[in-house]
Amino acid sequence: MSETSYAEETEARAAESGKNATDLFRQRVSGVGAADPARVSRLASRVIQAINDTVIKERVTYDEYNALKAWLIRVGEDGEWPLFLDVWVEHSVEQVANDHRAGSKGTIEGPYYVPDAPEQPWNGTIPMREDEPGRPLVFQGQIRGVDGAALAGAKVEMWHADNIGFYSQFAPGLPEWNLRGTFIAGEDGRFEIHTIEPAPYQIPTDGACGQLIAAAGWHAWRPAHLHLKVSHPGFELLTTQLYFPGDPHNDDDIAAAVKPELILDPQPRSDGEGYEARYDFVLDPQ
Ligand code: MBD
Ligand code: FE
């Protein structure tokens, strides 16, 4: 097997990953159902009013109005509506959707989930290149219901960036399912996932979202994170992320998706190279 090279993935372009995220979203969410016109009117009116209030309060000029128009057109051209919405809006939608839960904290899904990643046993290795760069990480835990009962056969889907911050299927040169796997918990609800530690993630800087970030003087970083979906029949699906202590962007995640309960406590492995981290998931019944 050839040595893993970073050359191709660092050629990733915003418009390519944006197009993939947009196409994937269209496949998964094939249109909205019939909505109550009163609800549509209420929500649309509030958003339009908020924009008009900003124009009046800030005395927005025609130059600024045209810059907005050009930028919105570019968001679509670059396929960055999923990225824009998941970075700057999804966190409040998630907050509202999950504020009734007694079990584990959720957080945003983001634009890079792909369903049906290859299935692995409860203690398997996530699909990765033979010489996948990065510090080995053993991520283990148990899945229980809020009543404390272990959930045998529960499903853990995990996806994350590689150790230079790229996601398979959204950057060139990576195997299709690299660092994406589905794990089925054992009889006692336990899982033990072998992977590598992801790098912090910088959202694409060469597209419309990057243009906004540069023009506003913001930064484009998310802290290093593992994405997870944990599910079991009869329980609410948990979509969450886990973070690493000491990451400088845990306190200023561009996507505002870090919560204190979601920071891991990795320890050096007792039986090998790298780190191990334990995290137990608690699911709410449906
Ligand atoms: C990501 O990897 C991510 O998790 C989010 C929320 C937005 C952009 C890229
Ligand atoms: Fe991510």
Side-chain angles (χ1 to χ4, degrees):
M1 237 198 89
S2 63
E3 288 266 299
T4 291
S5 157
Y6 289 138
E8 255 191 282
E9 52 188 307
T10 57
E11 291 296 304
R13 290 289 168 263
E16 276 168 41
S17 64
K19 184 181 181 306
N20 291 355
T22 298
D23 290 348
L24 208 91
F25 176 77
R26 284 192 173 126
Q27 282 168 29
R28 287 180 57 214
V29 183
S30 56
V32 291
D36 171 13
R39 178 73 173 164
V40 175
S41 175
R42 179 184 171 89
L43 297 184
S45 297
R46 279 194 76 138
V47 171
I48 292 166
Q49 191 62 52
I51 295 171
N52 282 284
D53 288 348
T54 305
V55 170
I56 303 287
K57 263 203 199 122
E58 301 292 337
R59 300 186 58 79
V60 169
T61 67
Y62 260 100
D63 275 354
E64 290 167 335
Y65 174 64
N66 285 329
L68 172 65
K69 213 187 264 188
W71 183 77
L72 290 173
I73 291 167
R74 186 171 170 196
V75 176
E77 286 170 350
D78 289 346
E80 284 197 336
W81 281 117
L83 182 66
F84 171 79
L85 289 165
D86 293 352
V87 166
W88 283 295
V89 181
E90 191 187 352
H91 64 89
S92 57
V93 179
E94 188 279 329
Q95 183 186 323
V96 171
N98 289 333
D99 65 2
H100 64 282
R101 290 195 190 212
S104 297
K105 286 278 180 217
T107 191
I108 66 174
E109 175 175 319
Y112 301 147
Y113 170 65
V114 184
D116 304 320
E119 203 168 295
Q120 316 293 332
W122 73 274
N123 60 350
T125 298
I126 201 165
M128 63 166 86
R129 292 166 285 186
E130 209 168 274
D131 50 356
E132 187 68 39
R135 199 155 59 176
L137 172 68
V138 180
F139 173 64
Q140 58 185 302
Q142 189 187 30
I143 304 156
R144 290 176 281 112
V146 288
D147 66 355
L151 301 180
K155 187 194 274 189
V156 181
E157 294 171 88
M158 186 160 83
W159 71 104
H160 64 81
D162 68 11
N163 97 318
I164 58 166
F166 289 98
Y167 285 86
S168 60
Q169 303 189 37
F170 300 91
L174 290 165
E176 184 177 20
W177 295 104
N178 209 55
L179 304 177
R180 298 175 178 278
T182 301
F183 299 81
I184 305 300
E187 280 310 308
D188 47 4
R190 287 189 186 280
F191 61 87
E192 181 188 295
I193 300 173
H194 295 253
T195 186
I196 55 102
E197 222 180 291
Y201 175 84
Q202 189 178 30
I203 75 162
T205 51
D206 64 316
C209 292
Q211 185 187 22
L212 170 61
I213 288 164
W218 301 339
H219 73 76
W221 291 96
R222 298 213 60 222
H225 55 281
L226 305 171
H227 287 274
L228 295 131
K229 283 182 182 282
V230 183
S231 57
H232 195 62
F235 292 82
E236 288 194 66
L237 166 70
L238 174 69
T239 300
T240 194
Q241 299 180 29
L242 296 170
Y243 303 91
F244 298 86
D247 190 306
H249 294 293
N250 282 341
D251 296 323
D252 68 346
D253 176 14
I254 190 182
V258 181
K259 303 177 185 185
E261 300 88 343
L262 301 178
I263 298 182
L264 291 167
D265 181 24
Q267 301 295 329
R269 264 175 82 179
S270 46
D271 61 343
E273 214 192 321
Y275 282 74
E276 60 190 33
R278 189 186 162 97
Y279 199 88
D280 294 337
F281 294 103
V282 179
L283 299 186
D284 285 83
Q286 248 162 6

